[in-house]
């Protein structure tokens, strides 16, 4: 089924470990985004990408790394997970021609113990 | 910098009544877009409605309308004839022309529809 999918849906890890969250979209959208959602903060932009091999920092990029070697994939890596990175992570995409419509994945709930 | 403020952390509304969810914004950019998203308990974010800063008329999408008051910098979401399935978290968001890729979100309002 076409759309934007995130994996895993749930992840528990320990502090200091590297974790990668996956995001895949089938629409060939130019833009892809990673947000984190925390109580009292709404959604905050971590990183975004305008096209393959083009990425830029958002509001809260520290401790995260992204890559976009292919248009359809936009993985987010926590290089050394910390407890403050416990959150729900959302991937999103939008097309350049219809940029006002952002489509979100179902989210990844990450717990760092 | 842009800022979105949603002052209602939670609301309880009787089924079939109309609902207004408040949203105010702040930006110095003259060109921007305002969005509302719904997040049900399942977690996914669903796009509801969009209003451009130069749009002359308020946006409408089915039972959703956006009450856009530019001078007051408000973009309230109105849901007519509320249904039980409207119970969810609602987020207001803004995107500006400069740095237009980035969507700034408010903290959300949790709406509960009472049967």
């Amino acid at each position: 089924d076409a759309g934007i999918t995130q994996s895993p849906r749930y992840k528990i890890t320990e502090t200091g470990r590297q974790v990668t969250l996956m995001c895949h979209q089938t629409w060939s959208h130019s833009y892809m985004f990673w947000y984190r959602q925390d109580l009292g903060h709404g959604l905050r932009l971590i990183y975004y990408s305008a096209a393959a091999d083009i990425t830029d920092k958002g509001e809260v990029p520290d401790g995260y790394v992204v890559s976009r070697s292919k248009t359809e994939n936009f993985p987010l890596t926590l290089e050394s997970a910390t407890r403050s990175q416990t959150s729900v992570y959302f991937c999103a995409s939008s097309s350049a021609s219809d940029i006002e419509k952002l489509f979100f994945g179902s989210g990844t709930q990450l717990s760092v113990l | 910098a842009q800022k979105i403020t949603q002052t209602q952390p939670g609301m309880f509304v009787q089924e079939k009544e109309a609902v207004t969810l408040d949203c105010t914004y702040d930006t110095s950019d003259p060109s921007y877009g305002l969005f509302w998203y719904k997040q049900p308990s399942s977690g996914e974010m669903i796009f509801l409605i969009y209003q451009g800063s130069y749009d002359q008329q308020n946006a409408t999408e089915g039972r959703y309308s956006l009450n856009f008051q530019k001078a007051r910098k408000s973009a309230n979401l109105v849901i007519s004839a509320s249904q039980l399935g409207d119970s969810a978290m609602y987020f207001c968001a803004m995107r500006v022309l400069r740095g237009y890729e980035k969507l700034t979100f408010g903290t959300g309002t949790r709406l509960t529809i009472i049967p």
Side-chain angles (χ1 to χ4, degrees), chain A residues 21 33-38 43-48 56-66 74 76-78 85 87-90:
Chain A
L21 309 183
F33 308 82
W34 275 106
Y35 286 89
R36 61 177 289 175
Q37 183 178 17
D38 305 287
L43 283 92
R44 292 179 292 175
L45 182 64
I46 304 170
Y47 269 97
Y48 67 100
D56 206 350
K57 295 177 180 178
E59 184 184 353
V60 288
D62 293 343
Y64 303 96
V65 174
V66 293
F74 191 39
L76 175 74
T77 298
L78 288 66
Q85 293 178 309
S87 186
V88 180
Y89 291 85
F90 284 96

mmCIF file of all heavy atoms in Angstrom, chain A residues 21 33-38 43-48 56-66 74 76-78 85 87-90:
data_model
loop_
_atom_site.group_PDB
_atom_site.id
_atom_site.type_symbol
_atom_site.label_atom_id
_atom_site.label_comp_id
_atom_site.label_asym_id
_atom_site.label_seq_id
_atom_site.Cartn_x
_atom_site.Cartn_y
_atom_site.Cartn_z
ATOM 1 N N LEU A 21 16.181 4.918 13.192
ATOM 2 C CA LEU A 21 14.756 4.870 12.881
ATOM 3 C C LEU A 21 14.603 5.023 11.373
ATOM 4 O O LEU A 21 15.211 5.915 10.764
ATOM 5 C CB LEU A 21 14.014 5.994 13.607
ATOM 6 C CG LEU A 21 14.279 6.106 15.111
ATOM 7 C CD1 LEU A 21 13.403 7.217 15.703
ATOM 8 C CD2 LEU A 21 14.062 4.806 15.824
ATOM 9 N N PHE A 33 10.919 14.953 6.383
ATOM 10 C CA PHE A 33 11.151 15.625 7.650
ATOM 11 C C PHE A 33 11.167 14.611 8.787
ATOM 12 O O PHE A 33 10.474 13.600 8.731
ATOM 13 C CB PHE A 33 10.020 16.629 7.939
ATOM 14 C CG PHE A 33 9.741 17.605 6.831
ATOM 15 C CD1 PHE A 33 8.935 17.240 5.762
ATOM 16 C CD2 PHE A 33 10.262 18.880 6.873
ATOM 17 C CE1 PHE A 33 8.659 18.143 4.739
ATOM 18 C CE2 PHE A 33 9.993 19.786 5.864
ATOM 19 C CZ PHE A 33 9.191 19.420 4.796
ATOM 20 N N TRP A 34 11.910 14.959 9.831
ATOM 21 C CA TRP A 34 11.826 14.229 11.077
ATOM 22 C C TRP A 34 11.433 15.201 12.185
ATOM 23 O O TRP A 34 12.077 16.241 12.368
ATOM 24 C CB TRP A 34 13.154 13.567 11.448
ATOM 25 C CG TRP A 34 13.357 12.238 10.816
ATOM 26 C CD1 TRP A 34 14.181 11.922 9.789
ATOM 27 C CD2 TRP A 34 12.728 11.007 11.203
ATOM 28 N NE1 TRP A 34 14.088 10.588 9.502
ATOM 29 C CE2 TRP A 34 13.216 10.002 10.346
ATOM 30 C CE3 TRP A 34 11.794 10.662 12.192
ATOM 31 C CZ2 TRP A 34 12.810 8.667 10.442
ATOM 32 C CZ3 TRP A 34 11.389 9.343 12.282
ATOM 33 C CH2 TRP A 34 11.894 8.356 11.412
ATOM 34 N N TYR A 35 10.373 14.813 12.919
ATOM 35 C CA TYR A 35 9.920 15.579 14.065
ATOM 36 C C TYR A 35 9.965 14.676 15.295
ATOM 37 O O TYR A 35 9.780 13.474 15.209
ATOM 38 C CB TYR A 35 8.477 16.051 13.877
ATOM 39 C CG TYR A 35 8.303 17.177 12.900
ATOM 40 C CD1 TYR A 35 8.102 16.931 11.547
ATOM 41 C CD2 TYR A 35 8.321 18.498 13.335
ATOM 42 C CE1 TYR A 35 7.917 17.964 10.654
ATOM 43 C CE2 TYR A 35 8.140 19.545 12.438
ATOM 44 C CZ TYR A 35 7.946 19.263 11.100
ATOM 45 O OH TYR A 35 7.767 20.291 10.213
ATOM 46 N N ARG A 36 10.111 15.309 16.449
ATOM 47 C CA ARG A 36 9.886 14.602 17.694
ATOM 48 C C ARG A 36 8.731 15.272 18.426
ATOM 49 O O ARG A 36 8.559 16.499 18.353
ATOM 50 C CB ARG A 36 11.144 14.542 18.561
ATOM 51 C CG ARG A 36 11.719 15.859 19.002
ATOM 52 C CD ARG A 36 12.936 15.658 19.915
ATOM 53 N NE ARG A 36 12.542 15.152 21.230
ATOM 54 C CZ ARG A 36 13.392 14.795 22.181
ATOM 55 N NH1 ARG A 36 14.706 14.856 21.966
ATOM 56 N NH2 ARG A 36 12.972 14.357 23.351
ATOM 57 N N GLN A 37 7.963 14.455 19.116
ATOM 58 C CA GLN A 37 6.788 14.956 19.821
ATOM 59 C C GLN A 37 6.949 14.682 21.297
ATOM 60 O O GLN A 37 7.081 13.530 21.726
ATOM 61 C CB GLN A 37 5.507 14.284 19.308
ATOM 62 C CG GLN A 37 4.257 14.842 19.970
ATOM 63 C CD GLN A 37 3.000 14.212 19.437
ATOM 64 O OE1 GLN A 37 3.015 13.154 18.813
ATOM 65 N NE2 GLN A 37 1.882 14.858 19.662
ATOM 66 N N ASP A 38 6.910 15.725 22.077
ATOM 67 C CA ASP A 38 7.032 15.630 23.534
ATOM 68 C C ASP A 38 5.928 16.448 24.179
ATOM 69 O O ASP A 38 5.552 17.512 23.662
ATOM 70 C CB ASP A 38 8.399 16.169 23.993
ATOM 71 C CG ASP A 38 9.553 15.474 23.307
ATOM 72 O OD1 ASP A 38 9.804 14.301 23.647
ATOM 73 O OD2 ASP A 38 10.194 16.079 22.430
ATOM 74 N N LEU A 43 5.262 19.369 18.326
ATOM 75 C CA LEU A 43 6.227 18.707 17.451
ATOM 76 C C LEU A 43 7.358 19.666 17.135
ATOM 77 O O LEU A 43 7.122 20.825 16.799
ATOM 78 C CB LEU A 43 5.565 18.261 16.147
ATOM 79 C CG LEU A 43 4.712 17.021 16.245
ATOM 80 C CD1 LEU A 43 3.278 17.381 16.520
ATOM 81 C CD2 LEU A 43 4.801 16.220 14.965
ATOM 82 N N ARG A 44 8.548 19.174 17.220
ATOM 83 C CA ARG A 44 9.718 19.989 16.913
ATOM 84 C C ARG A 44 10.538 19.323 15.810
ATOM 85 O O ARG A 44 10.774 18.119 15.852
ATOM 86 C CB ARG A 44 10.573 20.184 18.170
ATOM 87 C CG ARG A 44 9.905 21.045 19.229
ATOM 88 C CD ARG A 44 10.775 21.190 20.462
ATOM 89 N NE ARG A 44 10.911 19.949 21.191
ATOM 90 C CZ ARG A 44 11.696 19.790 22.255
ATOM 91 N NH1 ARG A 44 12.428 20.790 22.689
ATOM 92 N NH2 ARG A 44 11.749 18.620 22.874
ATOM 93 N N LEU A 45 10.970 20.148 14.883
ATOM 94 C CA LEU A 45 11.689 19.653 13.715
ATOM 95 C C LEU A 45 13.128 19.316 14.077
ATOM 96 O O LEU A 45 13.854 20.142 14.644
ATOM 97 C CB LEU A 45 11.657 20.702 12.607
ATOM 98 C CG LEU A 45 12.323 20.329 11.288
ATOM 99 C CD1 LEU A 45 11.592 19.156 10.624
ATOM 100 C CD2 LEU A 45 12.331 21.541 10.362
ATOM 101 N N ILE A 46 13.552 18.114 13.724
ATOM 102 C CA ILE A 46 14.917 17.671 14.005
ATOM 103 C C ILE A 46 15.804 17.946 12.791
ATOM 104 O O ILE A 46 16.799 18.657 12.873
ATOM 105 C CB ILE A 46 14.945 16.172 14.347
ATOM 106 C CG1 ILE A 46 14.015 15.863 15.518
ATOM 107 C CG2 ILE A 46 16.368 15.731 14.701
ATOM 108 C CD1 ILE A 46 13.814 14.371 15.761
ATOM 109 N N TYR A 47 15.427 17.349 11.678
ATOM 110 C CA TYR A 47 16.135 17.511 10.405
ATOM 111 C C TYR A 47 15.123 17.447 9.279
ATOM 112 O O TYR A 47 14.045 16.877 9.447
ATOM 113 C CB TYR A 47 17.154 16.372 10.191
ATOM 114 C CG TYR A 47 18.537 16.652 10.698
ATOM 115 C CD1 TYR A 47 18.936 16.187 11.953
ATOM 116 C CD2 TYR A 47 19.459 17.342 9.923
ATOM 117 C CE1 TYR A 47 20.221 16.434 12.420
ATOM 118 C CE2 TYR A 47 20.759 17.592 10.389
ATOM 119 C CZ TYR A 47 21.129 17.126 11.637
ATOM 120 O OH TYR A 47 22.394 17.353 12.104
ATOM 121 N N TYR A 48 15.510 18.015 8.141
ATOM 122 C CA TYR A 48 14.682 17.868 6.970
ATOM 123 C C TYR A 48 15.566 17.731 5.737
ATOM 124 O O TYR A 48 16.771 18.001 5.779
ATOM 125 C CB TYR A 48 13.691 19.018 6.810
ATOM 126 C CG TYR A 48 14.309 20.363 6.512
ATOM 127 C CD1 TYR A 48 14.344 20.867 5.217
ATOM 128 C CD2 TYR A 48 14.808 21.147 7.543
ATOM 129 C CE1 TYR A 48 14.892 22.100 4.947
ATOM 130 C CE2 TYR A 48 15.371 22.385 7.282
ATOM 131 C CZ TYR A 48 15.404 22.862 5.986
ATOM 132 O OH TYR A 48 15.947 24.083 5.721
ATOM 133 N N ASP A 56 19.234 19.350 6.007
ATOM 134 C CA ASP A 56 19.493 20.562 6.777
ATOM 135 C C ASP A 56 18.930 20.399 8.176
ATOM 136 O O ASP A 56 17.986 19.618 8.396
ATOM 137 C CB ASP A 56 18.882 21.779 6.103
ATOM 138 C CG ASP A 56 19.613 23.071 6.474
ATOM 139 O OD1 ASP A 56 20.463 23.036 7.404
ATOM 140 O OD2 ASP A 56 19.334 24.098 5.861
ATOM 141 N N LYS A 57 19.518 21.158 9.106
ATOM 142 C CA LYS A 57 19.111 21.057 10.492
ATOM 143 C C LYS A 57 17.794 21.772 10.727
ATOM 144 O O LYS A 57 17.487 22.781 10.112
ATOM 145 C CB LYS A 57 20.184 21.679 11.399
ATOM 146 C CG LYS A 57 21.503 20.946 11.369
ATOM 147 C CD LYS A 57 22.524 21.661 12.240
ATOM 148 C CE LYS A 57 23.859 20.924 12.212
ATOM 149 N NZ LYS A 57 24.884 21.617 13.022
ATOM 150 N N GLY A 58 17.063 21.233 11.687
ATOM 151 C CA GLY A 58 15.860 21.887 12.148
ATOM 152 C C GLY A 58 16.097 22.565 13.476
ATOM 153 O O GLY A 58 17.187 23.072 13.744
ATOM 154 N N GLU A 59 15.091 22.502 14.316
ATOM 155 C CA GLU A 59 15.132 23.207 15.600
ATOM 156 C C GLU A 59 15.969 22.493 16.652
ATOM 157 O O GLU A 59 16.649 23.119 17.464
ATOM 158 C CB GLU A 59 13.689 23.373 16.095
ATOM 159 C CG GLU A 59 13.514 24.154 17.365
ATOM 160 C CD GLU A 59 12.052 24.160 17.818
ATOM 161 O OE1 GLU A 59 11.181 23.674 17.062
ATOM 162 O OE2 GLU A 59 11.781 24.634 18.938
ATOM 163 N N VAL A 60 15.941 21.138 16.641
ATOM 164 C CA VAL A 60 16.611 20.358 17.693
ATOM 165 C C VAL A 60 17.462 19.234 17.101
ATOM 166 O O VAL A 60 17.189 18.053 17.313
ATOM 167 C CB VAL A 60 15.569 19.787 18.690
ATOM 168 C CG1 VAL A 60 14.989 20.872 19.554
ATOM 169 C CG2 VAL A 60 14.455 19.041 17.949
ATOM 170 N N PRO A 61 18.539 19.560 16.382
ATOM 171 C CA PRO A 61 19.310 18.539 15.673
ATOM 172 C C PRO A 61 20.382 17.821 16.495
ATOM 173 O O PRO A 61 20.881 16.765 16.078
ATOM 174 C CB PRO A 61 19.986 19.351 14.565
ATOM 175 C CG PRO A 61 20.209 20.690 15.197
ATOM 176 C CD PRO A 61 19.024 20.906 16.098
ATOM 177 N N ASP A 62 20.728 18.361 17.664
ATOM 178 C CA ASP A 62 21.865 17.816 18.406
ATOM 179 C C ASP A 62 21.622 16.369 18.827
ATOM 180 O O ASP A 62 20.606 16.045 19.410
ATOM 181 C CB ASP A 62 22.158 18.687 19.628
ATOM 182 C CG ASP A 62 22.659 20.064 19.244
ATOM 183 O OD1 ASP A 62 23.082 20.235 18.071
ATOM 184 O OD2 ASP A 62 22.631 20.964 20.093
ATOM 185 N N GLY A 63 22.618 15.533 18.545
ATOM 186 C CA GLY A 63 22.534 14.123 18.915
ATOM 187 C C GLY A 63 21.937 13.239 17.842
ATOM 188 O O GLY A 63 21.822 12.027 18.036
ATOM 189 N N TYR A 64 21.564 13.838 16.725
ATOM 190 C CA TYR A 64 20.937 13.102 15.625
ATOM 191 C C TYR A 64 21.740 13.252 14.342
ATOM 192 O O TYR A 64 22.384 14.280 14.108
ATOM 193 C CB TYR A 64 19.515 13.610 15.358
ATOM 194 C CG TYR A 64 18.589 13.548 16.545
ATOM 195 C CD1 TYR A 64 18.402 14.670 17.354
ATOM 196 C CD2 TYR A 64 17.882 12.385 16.842
ATOM 197 C CE1 TYR A 64 17.549 14.627 18.439
ATOM 198 C CE2 TYR A 64 17.019 12.341 17.925
ATOM 199 C CZ TYR A 64 16.850 13.468 18.718
ATOM 200 O OH TYR A 64 15.993 13.423 19.787
ATOM 201 N N VAL A 65 21.651 12.232 13.508
ATOM 202 C CA VAL A 65 22.281 12.259 12.190
ATOM 203 C C VAL A 65 21.273 11.726 11.184
ATOM 204 O O VAL A 65 20.533 10.776 11.481
ATOM 205 C CB VAL A 65 23.555 11.385 12.162
ATOM 206 C CG1 VAL A 65 24.120 11.294 10.750
ATOM 207 C CG2 VAL A 65 24.609 11.936 13.110
ATOM 208 N N VAL A 66 21.231 12.326 10.005
ATOM 209 C CA VAL A 66 20.346 11.837 8.943
ATOM 210 C C VAL A 66 21.153 11.639 7.666
ATOM 211 O O VAL A 66 22.252 12.172 7.511
ATOM 212 C CB VAL A 66 19.168 12.791 8.662
ATOM 213 C CG1 VAL A 66 18.218 12.860 9.834
ATOM 214 C CG2 VAL A 66 19.686 14.179 8.281
ATOM 215 N N PHE A 74 14.650 8.040 4.382
ATOM 216 C CA PHE A 74 15.215 9.134 5.172
ATOM 217 C C PHE A 74 15.430 8.628 6.596
ATOM 218 O O PHE A 74 14.654 8.920 7.506
ATOM 219 C CB PHE A 74 14.266 10.331 5.150
ATOM 220 C CG PHE A 74 14.837 11.613 5.700
ATOM 221 C CD1 PHE A 74 16.147 11.988 5.457
ATOM 222 C CD2 PHE A 74 14.041 12.473 6.459
ATOM 223 C CE1 PHE A 74 16.666 13.173 5.945
ATOM 224 C CE2 PHE A 74 14.546 13.670 6.952
ATOM 225 C CZ PHE A 74 15.851 14.017 6.702
ATOM 226 N N LEU A 76 16.862 8.176 10.389
ATOM 227 C CA LEU A 76 17.322 9.047 11.474
ATOM 228 C C LEU A 76 18.119 8.200 12.453
ATOM 229 O O LEU A 76 17.610 7.193 12.940
ATOM 230 C CB LEU A 76 16.127 9.672 12.186
ATOM 231 C CG LEU A 76 16.425 10.527 13.417
ATOM 232 C CD1 LEU A 76 17.010 11.871 13.003
ATOM 233 C CD2 LEU A 76 15.156 10.746 14.247
ATOM 234 N N THR A 77 19.340 8.617 12.740
ATOM 235 C CA THR A 77 20.205 7.864 13.647
ATOM 236 C C THR A 77 20.511 8.671 14.895
ATOM 237 O O THR A 77 20.884 9.849 14.802
ATOM 238 C CB THR A 77 21.516 7.467 12.945
ATOM 239 O OG1 THR A 77 21.222 6.618 11.833
ATOM 240 C CG2 THR A 77 22.446 6.721 13.903
ATOM 241 N N LEU A 78 20.323 8.018 16.029
ATOM 242 C CA LEU A 78 20.775 8.571 17.305
ATOM 243 C C LEU A 78 22.126 7.936 17.558
ATOM 244 O O LEU A 78 22.229 6.728 17.755
ATOM 245 C CB LEU A 78 19.800 8.225 18.428
ATOM 246 C CG LEU A 78 18.454 8.931 18.457
ATOM 247 C CD1 LEU A 78 17.564 8.562 17.284
ATOM 248 C CD2 LEU A 78 17.739 8.646 19.777
ATOM 249 N N GLN A 85 16.277 11.745 24.825
ATOM 250 C CA GLN A 85 15.799 11.438 23.483
ATOM 251 C C GLN A 85 14.619 10.460 23.491
ATOM 252 O O GLN A 85 14.124 10.072 22.426
ATOM 253 C CB GLN A 85 16.942 10.892 22.625
ATOM 254 C CG GLN A 85 18.006 11.952 22.340
ATOM 255 C CD GLN A 85 19.176 11.421 21.538
ATOM 256 O OE1 GLN A 85 19.768 10.388 21.879
ATOM 257 N NE2 GLN A 85 19.528 12.116 20.463
ATOM 258 N N SER A 87 11.092 9.759 23.254
ATOM 259 C CA SER A 87 10.107 10.607 22.590
ATOM 260 C C SER A 87 9.362 9.773 21.560
ATOM 261 O O SER A 87 9.660 8.595 21.340
ATOM 262 C CB SER A 87 10.826 11.774 21.891
ATOM 263 O OG SER A 87 9.907 12.698 21.354
ATOM 264 N N VAL A 88 8.379 10.405 20.943
ATOM 265 C CA VAL A 88 7.739 9.818 19.770
ATOM 266 C C VAL A 88 8.274 10.562 18.546
ATOM 267 O O VAL A 88 8.246 11.797 18.510
ATOM 268 C CB VAL A 88 6.208 9.930 19.827
ATOM 269 C CG1 VAL A 88 5.590 9.304 18.575
ATOM 270 C CG2 VAL A 88 5.673 9.252 21.079
ATOM 271 N N TYR A 89 8.754 9.801 17.582
ATOM 272 C CA TYR A 89 9.375 10.384 16.401
ATOM 273 C C TYR A 89 8.466 10.203 15.193
ATOM 274 O O TYR A 89 7.998 9.102 14.907
ATOM 275 C CB TYR A 89 10.733 9.729 16.145
ATOM 276 C CG TYR A 89 11.745 10.096 17.195
ATOM 277 C CD1 TYR A 89 11.824 9.394 18.399
ATOM 278 C CD2 TYR A 89 12.612 11.163 17.000
ATOM 279 C CE1 TYR A 89 12.747 9.740 19.379
ATOM 280 C CE2 TYR A 89 13.542 11.515 17.972
ATOM 281 C CZ TYR A 89 13.592 10.802 19.154
ATOM 282 O OH TYR A 89 14.503 11.153 20.119
ATOM 283 N N PHE A 90 8.240 11.298 14.488
ATOM 284 C CA PHE A 90 7.406 11.263 13.293
ATOM 285 C C PHE A 90 8.227 11.652 12.081
ATOM 286 O O PHE A 90 8.942 12.650 12.087
ATOM 287 C CB PHE A 90 6.228 12.227 13.412
ATOM 288 C CG PHE A 90 5.130 11.730 14.298
ATOM 289 C CD1 PHE A 90 5.069 12.119 15.625
ATOM 290 C CD2 PHE A 90 4.161 10.878 13.806
ATOM 291 C CE1 PHE A 90 4.057 11.659 16.453
ATOM 292 C CE2 PHE A 90 3.137 10.415 14.619
ATOM 293 C CZ PHE A 90 3.089 10.811 15.945
#
